[in-house]
Amino acid sequence: MTTTTSGTVKNRGCGCTKEDFLPEESFQSWENYVEAVTQTGSRLVNRVTTRSQNEIELNEVKAQTIVNELKKPLNWWDLMLSGIGAALGASVFVYTGIEARLTAGPAVVLSYLISGVSAMLSVFCYIEFAVEMPIAGGSFDYLRAQLGDLVAFIAAGNIILEYVIGGAAVARSWTSHFAVLLNRKPDDLRILVHSLPNDYCHLDFVAVCITMFICVLAVRNTKGSPRLNYITSIFHVLVIVFIIVAGLTRANVKNFSSFAPFGVSGVFKASSVLFFSTLSEGTKKPRRDIPIGLVGSMVVTIAAYCLLAVTLCLMQPFDEIDIDAPYAVAFSAAGVDWAKYVVAAGALKGMTTVLFSGAVDQAWELTHIARTHMIPPWFAKINEKTGTPVNATFVLLVATSVVAFFTDLQILSSLVSIATLFIVLLVAVAFLVSRYYVTEVTTSANRDKLVLCLILIFSSSIANAFYWALDGRHWIVYSILVPIWFSGTIGLRLFVPQAREPKLWGVPLVPWLPSTSIAINIFLLGSIDRMSYLRFGAWTSFLVIYYVFFGLHASYDTAQEAEQKRENDQVGGV
């Protein structure tokens, strides 16, 4: 399967030849590659400084998808159900127990409120991009259009890794809740290998099996059966209502006597939980469906987070909450043993939903990166019959199953936040750049004022986060840093004219809303542990090395070919 210079697509069946992975001119011979490497500097400048236009993303890059167009079966109700199912399935049933017991205590409800505010601000920025560019690459496309290829590639690589880690955590938790239904302990369903390190010695075959089952479903259909989706979603909501109502009848307010045992720092550390959907290419009416679907799912999710967190912490003392299956075990401990089966069944449904949603999101993200040839176009293959990205789905879920097979849930949970916060931070920055800077429209003076304002916003936000991470508690420092952030934001509002107005749907309170999003996300990044930053740095370093030696040259050749084709079309039109 190859893409010819004329832009046509040839199908070679399964597509496992060199041309499917390195079809670009720079990789056709060693001489070509050596010549390309010698031009790395100029090519890097070209790709970093060249910002793609919305029309190119919607048409030319989309046309590079192998075999078939993505199907468009989704509406606002589907997006809303997908967002609710993914958020509630992952955070509530997988991470609440860990965060309440080890990080925040009953104050985890405040963590969810802070996370909800941060997520809502970020979602507004995301929505305007998604409405203007309703394509499957999501944040990758938005960042590429405003901040260039390198930033977009690094961001997308980190969010994909976050999907894999999060999916592995959900798969491990799926095993734990399945064990509850069988009246067994989670480790009864795992194989203990004493020769492996403690955090990697409980081998989870059940997690691998459920991940592979999800792989089959995701390859077959993006949406699945609408009727089945609605039925299972209603069941999921009923289970959540049951947990809240039945759980509060077993509430003991004494369990809130130690509300924040880990202090304020624990509250912010547990706040690093955000959820997004990248299904906007599959919507019927982006202007209506995306805002309603994403905002609606976020509002419902925030309310459910808080109510469920309060219920759990009222049912049990925080230091007795079970990490593996918190709600099911809480009912059992409260003497309502039969209820644990209802809760476990609901949790399994929720986690199955988030695994499916995550599988779809991962695949679309990887597929769209492959459309630009930053990674091999083999990943962009779309199945003719199902309209789904087969190769991307399979590879990512194999990676997820491998991580889930070895790695303990607590290790996975500690790695879940940094890339998500990083990506939404960049989306907020890209939003400001989109509104205030347009090539050949914005004057150099206004560009310089924009840069200065962004420096003030970033420097004050980073200083705030850094001081907090050092256990800074003196209000005088914040009284200096916050006005600096304020001056940068008001400077944007008063002295930098907006260069672009939204065509379909616009974010309100610009620049205050995106600037606040930047400040909150940077502050939450300051609450993340050292090991997560080491992992983030190692993975990001790998992404940069790959991009410089492979992705840069492939995307450069693809961009040059597209530019040549446009020039030929213009000549032909004349």
Side-chain angles (χ1 to χ4, degrees), residues 75-89 93 223-242 297 300 304 345-354 356-357:
N75 53 38
W76 69 267
W77 181 247
D78 297 309
L79 289 175
M80 188 169 176
L81 286 178
S82 175
I84 293 172
L88 296 181
F93 293 114
K223 183 176 180 179
S225 168
R227 181 173 299 178
L228 180 62
N229 284 347
Y230 298 151
I231 292 174
T232 56
S233 295
I234 291 172
F235 171 73
H236 192 48
V237 171
L238 291 176
V239 170
I240 290 173
V241 172
F242 171 80
S297 65
V300 173
L348 287 176
K349 183 273 157 191
M351 286 182 286
T352 303
T353 298
V354 75
F356 179 78
S357 299

Side-chain angles (χ1 to χ4, degrees), residues 39 62 200 211 220 311 366 399 414 449 455 468 525 564 573:
Q39 300 173 12
K62 192 174 181 179
Y200 304 93
T211 304
R220 287 175 60 86
T311 301
L366 198 62
S414 67
K449 286 187 286 186
I455 290 174
W468 174 262
L525 281 167
Q564 184 63 49

Side-chain angles (χ1 to χ4, degrees), residues 208-369:
V208 173
C209 290
I210 185 60
T211 304
M212 290 297 98
F213 174 72
I214 291 298
C215 181
V216 174
L217 292 182
V219 164
R220 287 175 60 86
N221 201 331
T222 296
K223 183 176 180 179
S225 168
R227 181 173 299 178
L228 180 62
N229 284 347
Y230 298 151
I231 292 174
T232 56
S233 295
I234 291 172
F235 171 73
H236 192 48
V237 171
L238 291 176
V239 170
I240 290 173
V241 172
F242 171 80
I243 292 173
I244 295 172
V245 174
L248 290 177
T249 63
R250 303 285 172 168
N252 185 349
V253 293
K254 292 182 179 179
N255 292 332
F256 266 40
S257 59
S258 179
F259 184 70
F262 301 97
V264 180
S265 60
V267 173
F268 283 107
K269 185 177 181 181
S271 296
S272 303
V273 183
L274 299 173
F275 299 93
F276 288 86
S277 171
T278 56
L279 292 173
S280 56
E281 182 171 12
T283 57
K284 295 177 181 179
K285 299 178 180 179
R287 181 177 184 179
R288 180 200 68 182
D289 295 340
I290 295 174
I292 295 175
L294 295 186
V295 173
S297 65
M298 188 57 63
V299 170
V300 173
T301 297
I302 293 171
Y305 279 169
C306 297
L307 288 173
L308 287 167
V310 167
T311 301
L312 177 64
C313 294
L314 284 174
M315 290 181 68
Q316 275 189 300
F318 77 91
D319 56 355
E320 296 179 12
I321 292 174
D322 184 77
I323 290 177
D324 293 309
Y327 290 94
V329 174
F331 275 102
S332 182
V336 194
D337 204 57
W338 61 269
K340 73 178 183 181
Y341 300 108
V342 177
V343 175
L348 287 176
K349 183 273 157 191
M351 286 182 286
T352 303
T353 298
V354 75
L355 282 171
F356 179 78
S357 299
V360 172
D361 289 349
Q362 291 173 47
W364 287 156
E365 189 84 15
L366 198 62
T367 296
H368 211 70
I369 300 173

Side-chain angles (χ1 to χ4, degrees), residues 466-485:
F466 187 74
Y467 182 66
W468 174 262
L470 294 177
D471 293 327
R473 298 294 185 268
H474 297 293
W475 63 269
I476 188 66
V477 176
Y478 301 110
S479 68
I480 296 173
L481 295 175
V482 172
I484 294 175
W485 169 85

Side-chain angles (χ1 to χ4, degrees), residues 99 103-117 264-273 305-306 524:
E99 293 174 348
T103 309
V108 70
V109 63
L110 299 182
S111 301
Y112 280 142
L113 281 173
I114 295 169
S115 175
V117 171
V264 180
S265 60
V267 173
F268 283 107
K269 185 177 181 181
S271 296
S272 303
V273 183
Y305 279 169
C306 297
L524 292 178

